[in-house]
Amino acid sequence: MLKDSKAFSGFSVNDTAKAKEFYGQILGLEVKNEAMGGLISLQLTGENYIIIYPKPNHVPATFTILNFPVNDVEKTVDELTARGVKFIVYNEENFKTNEKGIFTAGGPTIAWFKDPAGNILSVIEQKN
C-alpha cells in the first residue's frame, strides 16, 4: 500500500532561524522555506528531504535523529570543528570516544554532535 510512497522524515526545533543558519551555513545543506507554518526543509541527495518544524515546547531527541554518511569521519570532524561544530566526547565505562569525539571501538567509525536545538546528529564512515 505505501511501498511507492516517497516517505520523508521530520523533527522539531525551538528556533527555525537558528536551524536554517546551522544546517545551511555551517553544514552546507540546501535549506528551503516551506509555505506553511514556518516549516523549513533540508534538501538531501536526490529527491530526499527532511522537514524541520518549529515547536515552542521542543524537547531535544535523546537519540541520533540524522546520520550523514561520509568517506572520512576524521576529516569531516576536523572541517566541521573549524566551522564551530562541537562534537560530543563520551567517556563512559563501556562507551568512549577519542578527544575529537570519534568512536572507533567496534562497528563503523562515527562522531556525534548537536544542532542548535539540542538534537543529536552524526557523521558516520561509509566506505564506497
Side-chain angles (χ1 to χ4, degrees), residues 11-23:
F11 58 88
S12 70
V13 296
N14 54 355
D15 187 328
T16 52
K18 284 183 182 176
K20 186 174 182 179
E21 178 183 350
F22 178 77
Y23 287 97

Side-chain angles (χ1 to χ4, degrees), residues 83-102:
R83 291 175 168 227
V85 174
K86 300 205 182 320
F87 284 83
I88 303 167
V89 175
Y90 293 100
N91 191 20
E92 299 171 17
E93 184 177 334
N94 296 317
F95 190 76
K96 296 180 188 294
T97 61
N98 66 18
E99 67 281 351
K100 290 183 178 183
I102 302 172

